[in-house]
Every structure is written in C-alpha cells, then in structure tokens.
Amino acid sequence: MHGEVFQPNKDFAKNARVKSMDEYRALVAEADADYEGFWAKRADEKIAWIAPYTKVLDESSAPFYKWFVDGKLNVSNQCIDRHLADKGDKTAILFEGDRGDVEKITYNELSQRVNKFANLLKNRFGVTKGDRVVLYLPMIPEAAYAMLACARIGAIHSIVFGGFSSEALRDRIEDASAKLVITADGAYRKGKPYLLKPAVDKALENDIACVEAVLVIQRNKEDVTWKEGRDYSYNELIKDESDVCDFEVMDSEDPLFLLYTSGSTGKPKGVQHSTAGYILWAQMTMEWVFDVQGDDVFWCTADIGWITGHTYIVYGPLAAGTTTLMFEGVPTYPDAGRAWKMVQDHKVTQFYTAPTAIRVLHKMGENEPEKYDLSSLKVLGTVGEPIDPPAWMWYHQVVGNGKCPIVDTWWQTETGGHMISPLPGATPIKPACATFALPGIIAEVIESDGTPKKIGETGLLCITKPWPSMIRNIWGDSERFKKAYFGDAKKDGKPVYFSGDGAVIDKDGYITITGRVDDVINVSGHRMGTAEIEAAVKEDEHVAEVAVVGRPHDIKGESIFIYIVMKEGKVNDDIKSHINQVLSSEIGNIAKADDIVAVPGLPKTRSGKIMRRILRSIAKGEEITQDISTLEDPDVVSKIKEAVKNS
Ligand code: WT7
C-alpha cells in the first residue's frame, strides 16, 4: 500500500464541479493572477447581496482584514429564503433521533420555524443586532433554528458544546456577556434520557449579571428545576409567534458568531467569524470539496458545538441548498451498524466524520458495513486529526467499497472552512494525506522567517494570504489575536497566519499534516490546551506542580498524560480520581486523563521553563534524544522515567 496513489473515480469525475487536475490548476492560476478578482467573481456568483460591496479586500489594518467591504446581506436569507422559490418542498434538515425517530423539515418549514424563533428572540427577549446569545443544546433541529434565528436578527451566537461542564459554560457566558442562554431540558443518548438544564442552572448559580433569561426547549420531558422570572419555555412561547420576520440587513463584516476554542496559553478564546466571507466559503467548500448536487443527502457526524457542526451541518449545507442529516445519537448505538444503517435508510451520498469515529467503528465491526447497502455513498470525508493509513484503508475499501474518494480535510475553528483537501473528482489521493490547498488558499510550509522548508522537512503550516472565512478577532482581546495567530511567522517581513500545526511537503507537492507543534492536544478530535488542563489540575490541593502532555492513543489519537509533583505523599487512586473529577467539573468529561503519574520534579530549564518535549518522549516510551545538560537538574529525567515505568 505504501506509496499507492488512488486516482479519481472516472464516473464521478464526469459530473463533478472540478473534473481534473488541469481544472484545479486553472483555478489556482486564476487566483494567482488576480487574487481579489478570483474572490470577487465567487462572491458575485454565490452571495445574494442586498447591497453590493465596494472593495474586495481591505488590508489597511492588517491583520484585521476586511472582506467585501460595505456589502450587505443576511445569512438566513442565504441559507433559507433565496431557496424557497424552487426548493420550498425539498428537505432541508433530515433529523434522526437517538431512538430512531425521524423528522423531515422542508425549506418552507425551516423558514417558518426560524422566523418564529427570530420573532420570539426579538419580541419576547428584546434580542437585537449585536447581542450575544449562548446556545447550550443537544443535536436537535431546534439548535439549527436557533442559530439561523440569531443570524436573521443579527444576534451573535456562541455555541457551547454540551459536553462542557457548567464551569466552562459560565466562563464562556461571561466572556461574551451573553444576554440570553438557550438550552434544552436534555436529550437522548444510547437509548436513555440525559439532562442539560442542570448545568445551566449551576453555571448561573451566582447570578451572572449579563444573563436576563434562559429559554428552555423541551426534548425529553424530564423533570428540571425552574427559576421563575428567568426560565421560559420555548414550546409554550413559540406558539404565539408569527412565522413572518423580516431579516436584518447585515454588513459583510458584522460578526456572525463566536466559537470558543483552546489555545496554547490561557483560557479558551472566542473566535469571531464574519458574515459574508464565512458564508461564502462555507457554501463554496460544500460545492468543491463534497461536490453536493441535486438530491444529495449530506451527513456530517460532528456536534454543532464544534466548528465542523457550524460549517458542515448547518451553514454550508443550507447555503448550498442541500439536505443535511442531523443525528442526535452516537454511531455505535445500539450497535456498530447504526451509522451504516442510517446511510442505507437515508441514502446518504456524502459521509463526513472524524478519524476517531472511523477507528472505533472499524474496531467494533470490521465487516459491519458489508451488511448494509451503502451504494448511495459518493464521497467520504475525514476531519479533526491526522488519520492513520490502516483506518484510511478500511474507510476506503470497506465503507467506500473502493469507489469513493476520501477527502481528508485540514482546517480549524479559525479558518471557518476547509483549507487543504483533495477535490473528489480531480485529485489523485495519497492515503492519509490532506494533499493540496484549495484554490484561493495559499498554504505554505515555512520557517518562522518565511524561508520555505525543503521537500520532506517539517515546518510551520502557514496561510500566507488572508482569505474570506478567516477568524476576524478574538472576542474582546485584539492583542491576543495578533499574538496568537500573527506572532510566530513572517513572510517578506509581514506577519502571516500560523496555524499551530506542522506539515511536510513531498516531492509531488502533497501536503501532509504532522500535528500540532504548540501546546495544544487533540483527544478524539477535541481540541484542548495543556495550559487549561494544568490550571484545572492545580485546583487540587495536593498538587504542587503539574505538566500535561498528549500521548499517542490507538483510538483517541491522543490521550491526556499528566505529571504531577505532590505537595506531600504519594499519588493514590483517590487523588487520581479526584483530579479527574476536578477536570470533569472545570472543563468537562472530555478532559479526563488516562495517565496521572507522580514525579519528584519536572524537567525545567534554568530559566524555569518546563521542557514538555522531554515529557512527551517519556510518555511515549521513547528514548530521550535531546540534550538534557541544560536542565536545572538533569538527574530528574531518569527519576521521571522510573516513576512512569512503575506507575
Ligand atoms: C486542529 C483544529 C477543523 C474542524 C475540526 C477541528 C487538527 C483538523 C485535520 C486533518 C490532520 C487535522 C489540526 C488543527 N486537524 N483537521 N485533516 N488532518 N489534522 O477543529 O478544534 O479547531 O482543531 O485539528 O491540528 O489545527 P479544531
């Protein structure tokens, strides 16, 4: 298999939007020759402008770039209204609940429900343009209605993944000073009801001044506590609202949403996305990378709490006028065939998931896909972490029956949409390789001074020209924005966007992502900052010092490995479980550690910097190759190794 290249499927390529590498190269050349012209052409073609823009790209206050300056539009119009004339009866959202309940929501119905929701936000809660609304919701259609309702009235939504704890939720509500929180009583997972509302109650325990109300959607009818005057029932109130609501005229650069994500330092940061640039690229990548057409049924298994859910469950598919499948449950319940049964039942044409899920499904049911009719599938996608060749091969051979191209899409919360990915009808694919930057995206692998890395050498993966769907700012912290993204690499003396990832380019120009080079770890596709985890562990009174690293894990990609220096005594199971409790309450269950090891000290330089690289090597069981003589106490390394061995 090594070195094998998979050519595009000829039948697929015939009808694809980009049919060959020649066509791909022509698009790249077009962007090369006239960058702004390239983007203007797409913006004119794709966006339902209410008023035209006057300038394509304004670089005068770089890195605070502005796209499609002065243009007016509304994202809910782009995703709903403009489709109604010819697609009103087409299914917009195809929902399947955990227990197998199915609901089809047409574009007409979506329009009515979003308008009612928008009216409710406006009339009942006084939400207006620019207000922040936090969504803490399960995977139910109302989550999409809520997002689009915010977009319709110009409110900025900030979705907090339902797996985050009340602590994490509170931080995000406060940072954004949200006026309203929208949640649900709970939902269903693995056949059982679970609750969300109690976490909201806890987050708001010591009243947060900004929050005026909590809107509660009923999903599982479980008993939840109710605070009169603060909590309101969506199901009751929505009945009275009209299904006509004019959309707010928004500027290209008005923020569409915030989404908090982890960085290598400090607290999670509120990534701020724009209106025009974001929706343009969400729609274009649906068309180019997934090549959705006609009656395709697109299924992205992410949660709406992550950027993948924003761009590829809600905004991208609906802007492209396609049918998006939304699933409440998990692909392994009631058994390892659930996902494949859903593909069969709904005739899914594009299936987009994370390597972690592929590894789990592979492990649980190597031949399971063969029991189902998966012949509707045209394109398979992966995202979130590097995929390993065995998982890739299984996905290709067994799930895709050898005929579906796999688009290994590299991108980030900050990039808004795909950056590096094969095009399914054009790109000869090398397994587990993100291949080439999309047309209009200038990705380079460089050193921090801009020197290009040689073939086969790992360097910093940078996007060296601004692009429409890029992050606009970190909410409330412009300095951090500049430092975090434009502080590490320069080209021709000008700061460029550095992703935090390393990558390598091969002799054929293919880009392979090697993973984060900063202190961010990726557990099952969930991004976490080691600094954030360390801050939480320090809450434990027994802990004097802590260092967190990622360790390669068969299924999760990486797992959390914690080194602690105890104030006194030894680590016992009580302390371990206490630390995991602290992590789950400060961050969420996704932050639980697989390994917690007590060590006599941490490897530090004389200036006090922890050498995480050494700790990563030890966690992996690797020989230490780096020079340890510069450490304050070089002997500590062998002691740490010993402690890990005995743990
Ligand atoms: C980080 C971004 C993009 C949506 C999901 C995650 C890693 C993402 C790939 C890929 C290798 C990947 C990177 C990136 N990543 N896609 N195809 N191959 N690594 O979004 O939480 O913002 O995380 O995920 O390390 O920086 P996110």
Side-chain angles (χ1 to χ4, degrees), residues 11 14 88 99 193 205 217 238 250 273 277 316 391 403 472 493 532 610 616 627:
D11 291 332
K14 257 188 254 159
R99 296 156 307 154
E205 219 164 39
I217 298 165
I238 199 74
M250 302 301 287
H273 275 290
K403 76 176 174 56
R472 291 305 195 271
E532 202 185 333
I610 298 172
R616 272 196 289 269
D627 178 17

mmCIF file of all heavy atoms in Angstrom, residues 11 14 88 99 193 205 217 238 250 273 277 316 391 403 472 493 532 610 616 627:
data_model
loop_
_atom_site.group_PDB
_atom_site.id
_atom_site.type_symbol
_atom_site.label_atom_id
_atom_site.label_comp_id
_atom_site.label_asym_id
_atom_site.label_seq_id
_atom_site.Cartn_x
_atom_site.Cartn_y
_atom_site.Cartn_z
ATOM 1 N N ASP A 11 -16.234 7.903 -13.377
ATOM 2 C CA ASP A 11 -17.664 8.202 -13.500
ATOM 3 C C ASP A 11 -18.035 9.392 -12.630
ATOM 4 O O ASP A 11 -18.821 10.244 -13.022
ATOM 5 C CB ASP A 11 -18.508 6.995 -13.056
ATOM 6 C CG ASP A 11 -18.361 5.860 -14.049
ATOM 7 O OD1 ASP A 11 -18.106 6.162 -15.241
ATOM 8 O OD2 ASP A 11 -18.482 4.683 -13.638
ATOM 9 N N LYS A 14 -16.781 12.799 -14.106
ATOM 10 C CA LYS A 14 -17.547 13.337 -15.242
ATOM 11 C C LYS A 14 -18.530 14.414 -14.827
ATOM 12 O O LYS A 14 -18.715 15.404 -15.513
ATOM 13 C CB LYS A 14 -18.322 12.189 -15.918
ATOM 14 C CG LYS A 14 -17.670 11.707 -17.213
ATOM 15 C CD LYS A 14 -18.586 10.724 -17.922
ATOM 16 C CE LYS A 14 -18.033 9.323 -17.757
ATOM 17 N NZ LYS A 14 -18.966 8.247 -17.930
ATOM 18 N N GLY A 88 -38.694 24.978 -1.970
ATOM 19 C CA GLY A 88 -39.515 25.075 -0.771
ATOM 20 C C GLY A 88 -39.908 23.720 -0.186
ATOM 21 O O GLY A 88 -39.941 23.544 1.035
ATOM 22 N N ARG A 99 -33.306 7.468 19.357
ATOM 23 C CA ARG A 99 -34.160 6.283 19.402
ATOM 24 C C ARG A 99 -34.742 5.914 18.048
ATOM 25 O O ARG A 99 -35.667 5.132 17.961
ATOM 26 C CB ARG A 99 -35.281 6.517 20.425
ATOM 27 C CG ARG A 99 -34.769 6.673 21.859
ATOM 28 C CD ARG A 99 -35.770 7.455 22.705
ATOM 29 N NE ARG A 99 -36.100 8.716 22.058
ATOM 30 C CZ ARG A 99 -37.234 9.375 22.245
ATOM 31 N NH1 ARG A 99 -38.147 8.909 23.065
ATOM 32 N NH2 ARG A 99 -37.451 10.518 21.616
ATOM 33 N N PRO A 193 -32.519 9.014 28.451
ATOM 34 C CA PRO A 193 -32.522 10.478 28.560
ATOM 35 C C PRO A 193 -31.350 10.969 29.396
ATOM 36 O O PRO A 193 -30.922 10.283 30.329
ATOM 37 C CB PRO A 193 -33.840 10.780 29.270
ATOM 38 C CG PRO A 193 -34.270 9.521 29.907
ATOM 39 C CD PRO A 193 -33.581 8.378 29.234
ATOM 40 N N GLU A 205 -25.651 29.919 38.924
ATOM 41 C CA GLU A 205 -25.908 29.856 40.358
ATOM 42 C C GLU A 205 -25.691 31.194 41.064
ATOM 43 O O GLU A 205 -26.556 31.695 41.753
ATOM 44 C CB GLU A 205 -24.950 28.838 40.966
ATOM 45 C CG GLU A 205 -25.534 27.970 42.033
ATOM 46 C CD GLU A 205 -24.610 26.777 42.251
ATOM 47 O OE1 GLU A 205 -23.368 26.962 42.220
ATOM 48 O OE2 GLU A 205 -25.127 25.675 42.421
ATOM 49 N N ILE A 217 -35.804 24.558 25.676
ATOM 50 C CA ILE A 217 -36.511 23.754 24.679
ATOM 51 C C ILE A 217 -36.774 22.378 25.282
ATOM 52 O O ILE A 217 -35.890 21.791 25.917
ATOM 53 C CB ILE A 217 -35.658 23.634 23.396
ATOM 54 C CG1 ILE A 217 -35.434 25.025 22.792
ATOM 55 C CG2 ILE A 217 -36.316 22.695 22.389
ATOM 56 C CD1 ILE A 217 -34.339 25.085 21.751
ATOM 57 N N ILE A 238 -43.376 29.749 21.699
ATOM 58 C CA ILE A 238 -43.199 29.778 20.242
ATOM 59 C C ILE A 238 -44.547 29.749 19.519
ATOM 60 O O ILE A 238 -44.688 30.286 18.417
ATOM 61 C CB ILE A 238 -42.279 28.607 19.774
ATOM 62 C CG1 ILE A 238 -41.712 28.885 18.373
ATOM 63 C CG2 ILE A 238 -42.981 27.265 19.809
ATOM 64 C CD1 ILE A 238 -40.642 29.926 18.331
ATOM 65 N N MET A 250 -27.429 42.975 7.217
ATOM 66 C CA MET A 250 -26.138 42.908 7.921
ATOM 67 C C MET A 250 -25.000 43.329 7.004
ATOM 68 O O MET A 250 -25.056 43.151 5.790
ATOM 69 C CB MET A 250 -25.884 41.475 8.405
ATOM 70 C CG MET A 250 -26.961 40.926 9.331
ATOM 71 S SD MET A 250 -27.194 41.903 10.829
ATOM 72 C CE MET A 250 -25.709 41.466 11.731
ATOM 73 N N HIS A 273 -16.153 35.072 13.909
ATOM 74 C CA HIS A 273 -16.282 34.933 12.456
ATOM 75 C C HIS A 273 -17.181 36.017 11.872
ATOM 76 O O HIS A 273 -18.009 36.598 12.564
ATOM 77 C CB HIS A 273 -16.795 33.538 12.090
ATOM 78 C CG HIS A 273 -15.688 32.528 12.006
ATOM 79 N ND1 HIS A 273 -14.760 32.555 11.010
ATOM 80 C CD2 HIS A 273 -15.332 31.498 12.819
ATOM 81 C CE1 HIS A 273 -13.877 31.576 11.196
ATOM 82 N NE2 HIS A 273 -14.201 30.921 12.303
ATOM 83 N N GLY A 277 -17.743 36.688 4.315
ATOM 84 C CA GLY A 277 -16.629 35.800 3.988
ATOM 85 C C GLY A 277 -16.881 34.386 4.474
ATOM 86 O O GLY A 277 -16.615 33.412 3.769
ATOM 87 N N GLY A 316 -23.057 25.574 5.802
ATOM 88 C CA GLY A 316 -22.617 25.185 4.459
ATOM 89 C C GLY A 316 -23.702 24.439 3.683
ATOM 90 O O GLY A 316 -24.091 24.852 2.586
ATOM 91 N N ALA A 391 -6.657 2.940 9.168
ATOM 92 C CA ALA A 391 -8.038 3.428 9.274
ATOM 93 C C ALA A 391 -8.484 3.963 7.911
ATOM 94 O O ALA A 391 -9.622 3.734 7.474
ATOM 95 C CB ALA A 391 -8.135 4.522 10.332
ATOM 96 N N LYS A 403 -14.677 2.682 -4.142
ATOM 97 C CA LYS A 403 -15.056 3.585 -5.232
ATOM 98 C C LYS A 403 -15.223 5.051 -4.818
ATOM 99 O O LYS A 403 -15.352 5.917 -5.671
ATOM 100 C CB LYS A 403 -16.325 3.077 -5.919
ATOM 101 C CG LYS A 403 -17.598 3.326 -5.121
ATOM 102 C CD LYS A 403 -18.839 2.892 -5.872
ATOM 103 C CE LYS A 403 -20.092 2.982 -5.059
ATOM 104 N NZ LYS A 403 -20.511 4.207 -4.436
ATOM 105 N N ARG A 472 -11.703 36.741 12.488
ATOM 106 C CA ARG A 472 -11.555 38.191 12.428
ATOM 107 C C ARG A 472 -10.906 38.767 13.675
ATOM 108 O O ARG A 472 -10.260 39.803 13.637
ATOM 109 C CB ARG A 472 -12.910 38.861 12.221
ATOM 110 C CG ARG A 472 -13.512 38.606 10.862
ATOM 111 C CD ARG A 472 -12.548 39.020 9.751
ATOM 112 N NE ARG A 472 -13.213 39.114 8.452
ATOM 113 C CZ ARG A 472 -13.338 38.110 7.589
ATOM 114 N NH1 ARG A 472 -12.826 36.925 7.867
ATOM 115 N NH2 ARG A 472 -13.961 38.287 6.435
ATOM 116 N N GLY A 493 8.856 39.860 5.646
ATOM 117 C CA GLY A 493 8.782 40.833 6.730
ATOM 118 C C GLY A 493 7.382 41.106 7.259
ATOM 119 O O GLY A 493 7.205 41.860 8.218
ATOM 120 N N GLU A 532 -4.697 24.980 29.932
ATOM 121 C CA GLU A 532 -6.032 24.988 30.521
ATOM 122 C C GLU A 532 -6.200 23.777 31.466
ATOM 123 O O GLU A 532 -6.752 23.894 32.559
ATOM 124 C CB GLU A 532 -6.942 24.816 29.311
ATOM 125 C CG GLU A 532 -8.323 25.235 29.369
ATOM 126 C CD GLU A 532 -8.988 24.811 28.041
ATOM 127 O OE1 GLU A 532 -8.313 24.693 26.988
ATOM 128 O OE2 GLU A 532 -10.190 24.567 28.097
ATOM 129 N N ILE A 610 9.294 24.623 31.611
ATOM 130 C CA ILE A 610 9.149 23.161 31.594
ATOM 131 C C ILE A 610 9.430 22.644 30.189
ATOM 132 O O ILE A 610 8.873 23.142 29.213
ATOM 133 C CB ILE A 610 7.719 22.742 32.021
ATOM 134 C CG1 ILE A 610 7.446 23.191 33.457
ATOM 135 C CG2 ILE A 610 7.530 21.241 31.886
ATOM 136 C CD1 ILE A 610 6.007 22.996 33.908
ATOM 137 N N ARG A 616 6.942 14.533 26.777
ATOM 138 C CA ARG A 616 6.220 13.829 25.699
ATOM 139 C C ARG A 616 6.956 12.550 25.319
ATOM 140 O O ARG A 616 6.350 11.494 25.160
ATOM 141 C CB ARG A 616 6.098 14.733 24.460
ATOM 142 C CG ARG A 616 4.868 15.620 24.486
ATOM 143 C CD ARG A 616 4.572 16.204 23.117
ATOM 144 N NE ARG A 616 5.542 17.220 22.708
ATOM 145 C CZ ARG A 616 5.391 18.521 22.950
ATOM 146 N NH1 ARG A 616 4.323 18.971 23.564
ATOM 147 N NH2 ARG A 616 6.305 19.379 22.561
ATOM 148 N N ASP A 627 19.220 17.157 24.153
ATOM 149 C CA ASP A 627 20.253 17.483 25.125
ATOM 150 C C ASP A 627 19.606 17.863 26.459
ATOM 151 O O ASP A 627 18.793 18.780 26.523
ATOM 152 C CB ASP A 627 21.044 18.675 24.562
ATOM 153 C CG ASP A 627 22.123 19.134 25.531
ATOM 154 O OD1 ASP A 627 22.451 18.359 26.447
ATOM 155 O OD2 ASP A 627 22.616 20.262 25.355
#
